Amino acid sequence: MSDVPIAAPEMGEREIERVREVMTSGRLADGPEVRAFEDEFAAFCGTDYALATSNGTTALHAALEAVGVGEGDKVVTTPFSFVASANAIRLAGAEPVFADIDPDTFNLDPTAVEEAIRREDDVAAVVPVHLYGLPAEMDRLLDVADDYDLAVVEDAAQAHGAAFDGRTVGSFGDAACFSMYPTKNMTTGEGGMITTDREDVAERAASFVNHGRPPEGGYEHVRVGHNFRMTSMAAAIGRVQLDRLPDYNEARRSNAAALTDALADADVVTPTEPDDRRHVYHQYTIRTDDRDGLADHLDDEGVGTGVYYPTPIHEQPAYDGVSHTAPVAERTAEQALSLPVHPNVSEEDLRTITAAIHEYER
Ligand SMILES: Cc1ncc(COP(=O)(O)O)c(C=O)c1O
């Protein structure tokens, strides 16, 4: 392992203690612990509802079903994301349409989204991804969705606590989804969350993740659904991690500011944080034309890096035949390099990272 790894999930005594309590409570699967986590997460996002799921992919799948996306529909999304953003669209029975990104923010370009909506028939929804923890341009994206009467499902898998115009992500779309995978800003091991202000969407999503049961449970199944439920142990961890999240995000932001400062004169493009947005730096991603050379050098110096993502989704074999081009996403996939920014990166680690980059450029 690198001296400075790209991710270092943190689990403390409080998580262990809460899991121990839940494990001896007799309620291991769904139950009051999960309801409490949902209530706390909804309050954190400022939404009326939150529904816990087994992971971020199942959250997206259930949310798309819940807003009414299905067979024959198209959904506009970004090709520059983890493949789950598109897989969930396919799993809901629809087809993704990939619109290009803005090179500075790495997020969906609203103009490209509108072009895609005009070009394609049967577009039912837009899935903006708040990539690396930076909110997508939600005001313009919501306007476009409104103009064409489309649902919006935010993929906030990487953006717990990020904000646009002072409003927390997860509260903009008809629904939003979060991932609690270990590398994320907060974790439950595996886990996900759907947030929404719409009662009908909350009801349908809760039913879909629980074999189509009605809210009162039991053995009447009003629709076909899945078991996408979260365990009580995961919820217990999540409640502690949610409590820690503001400190975690502050540490990430402070590390990012230090990296940007120290790399001001380096031959790399550092991430931007537009004035109307609060970035939570799930990843600190630079752009450089010499990505692979720099990554190898950093590896030699004990600094872990990540390439998220080396192949845009429309160029993945699973999406063969989806005939889109997205030149900005394609170029960015060759340039993007993520540096360690997580809360366990120390001041000395920051110096190691930036000194190694300067040394490479000498
Ligand atoms: C942008 C994005 N969407 C969706 C997901 C899926 O989340 P999970 O891995 O919890 O299923 C991830 C996880 O890496 C992600 O980064």
Side-chain angles (χ1 to χ4, degrees), residues 115-233:
E115 279 165 13
I117 295 166
R118 284 169 177 270
R119 188 181 66 233
E120 304 280 343
D121 295 327
D122 303 320
V123 174
V126 181
V127 174
V129 179
H130 307 306
L131 199 75
Y132 305 146
L134 178 68
E137 208 174 328
M138 289 314 295
D139 51 354
R140 286 186 61 205
L141 289 168
L142 288 175
D143 282 349
V144 172
D146 204 37
D147 288 347
Y148 295 88
D149 203 17
L150 308 177
V152 174
V153 176
E154 294 168 71
D155 181 342
Q158 305 185 356
H160 319 65
F164 184 93
D165 269 345
R167 196 168 135 193
T168 307
V169 303
S171 65
F172 287 89
D174 294 272
C177 301
F178 293 83
S179 163
M180 316 273 175
Y181 187 73
T183 56
K184 298 296 194 284
N185 290 35
M186 60 175 283
T187 183
T188 58
E190 294 276 10
M193 194 70 81
I194 302 168
T195 51
T196 181
D197 280 331
R198 282 180 52 182
E199 188 181 3
D200 61 325
V201 169
E203 191 276 317
R204 273 200 300 275
S207 171
F208 188 74
V209 306
N210 193 15
H211 279 303
R213 288 185 168 96
E216 59 278 13
Y219 286 92
E220 191 200 12
H221 301 273
V222 296
R223 57 175 63 78
V224 173
H226 286 268
N227 174 0
F228 285 168
R229 296 182 302 256
M230 176 178 273
T231 69
S232 289
M233 284 76 76

Side-chain angles (χ1 to χ4, degrees), residues 26 35 42 46 50 70 84 104 116 125 130 139 153 168 198 206 214 227 240 273 278 303 308 312 314 330 344 352-353:
R35 296 292 88 71
D104 296 324
H130 307 306
D139 51 354
V153 176
T168 307
R198 282 180 52 182
N227 174 0
V240 180
E273 182 183 34
R278 178 183 150 84
V303 175
Y308 313 112
H314 63 287
E330 287 155 28
N344 283 316
T352 304
I353 299 165

Side-chain angles (χ1 to χ4, degrees), residues 54-353:
S54 48
N55 57 59
T57 311
T58 54
L60 272 173
H61 181 179
L64 286 163
E65 297 265 357
V67 302
V69 166
E71 208 74 46
D73 288 333
K74 290 183 181 150
V75 177
V76 179
T77 193
T78 166
F80 195 61
S81 180
F82 182 54
V83 72
S85 308
N87 282 350
I89 294 167
R90 277 249 174 106
L91 290 167
E95 261 309 291
V97 172
F98 297 109
D100 212 347
I101 60 166
D102 173 331
D104 296 324
T105 64
F106 303 104
N107 279 327
L108 266 180
D109 171 358
T111 306
V113 169
E114 180 154 21
E115 279 165 13
I117 295 166
R118 284 169 177 270
R119 188 181 66 233
E120 304 280 343
D121 295 327
D122 303 320
V123 174
V126 181
V127 174
V129 179
H130 307 306
L131 199 75
Y132 305 146
L134 178 68
E137 208 174 328
M138 289 314 295
D139 51 354
R140 286 186 61 205
L141 289 168
L142 288 175
D143 282 349
V144 172
D146 204 37
D147 288 347
Y148 295 88
D149 203 17
L150 308 177
V152 174
V153 176
E154 294 168 71
D155 181 342
Q158 305 185 356
H160 319 65
F164 184 93
D165 269 345
R167 196 168 135 193
T168 307
V169 303
S171 65
F172 287 89
D174 294 272
C177 301
F178 293 83
S179 163
M180 316 273 175
Y181 187 73
T183 56
K184 298 296 194 284
N185 290 35
M186 60 175 283
T187 183
T188 58
E190 294 276 10
M193 194 70 81
I194 302 168
T195 51
T196 181
D197 280 331
R198 282 180 52 182
E199 188 181 3
D200 61 325
V201 169
E203 191 276 317
R204 273 200 300 275
S207 171
F208 188 74
V209 306
N210 193 15
H211 279 303
R213 288 185 168 96
E216 59 278 13
Y219 286 92
E220 191 200 12
H221 301 273
V222 296
R223 57 175 63 78
V224 173
H226 286 268
N227 174 0
F228 285 168
R229 296 182 302 256
M230 176 178 273
T231 69
S232 289
M233 284 76 76
I237 297 171
R239 294 181 69 191
V240 180
Q241 290 265 314
L242 183 60
D243 204 33
R244 297 189 196 274
L245 180 64
D247 287 345
Y248 284 159
N249 282 347
E250 273 318 307
R252 286 176 181 272
R253 286 177 56 75
S254 154
N255 288 340
L259 287 170
T260 296
D261 203 33
L263 294 175
D265 56 352
D267 194 18
V268 298
V269 182
T270 54
T272 136
E273 182 183 34
D275 286 345
D276 54 6
R277 280 167 249 195
R278 178 183 150 84
H279 200 322
V280 291
Y281 294 98
H282 168 58
Q283 299 294 346
Y284 181 94
T285 303
I286 59 171
R287 281 181 292 144
T288 163
D289 287 330
D290 188 12
R291 193 256 311 278
D292 297 344
L294 179 57
D296 284 348
H297 173 73
L298 287 168
D299 187 41
D300 291 344
E301 296 299 308
V303 175
T305 59
V307 174
Y308 313 112
Y309 297 89
T311 308
I313 303 174
H314 63 287
E315 294 186 337
Q316 292 284 358
Y319 288 87
D320 220 16
V322 179
S323 60
H324 299 294
T325 55
V328 181
E330 287 155 28
R331 196 170 60 248
T332 307
E334 292 169 358
Q335 296 176 323
L337 183 67
S338 298
L339 307 176
V341 74
H342 53 81
N344 283 316
V345 173
S346 66
E347 280 181 26
E348 192 188 331
D349 294 338
L350 293 167
R351 280 192 295 275
T352 304
I353 299 165

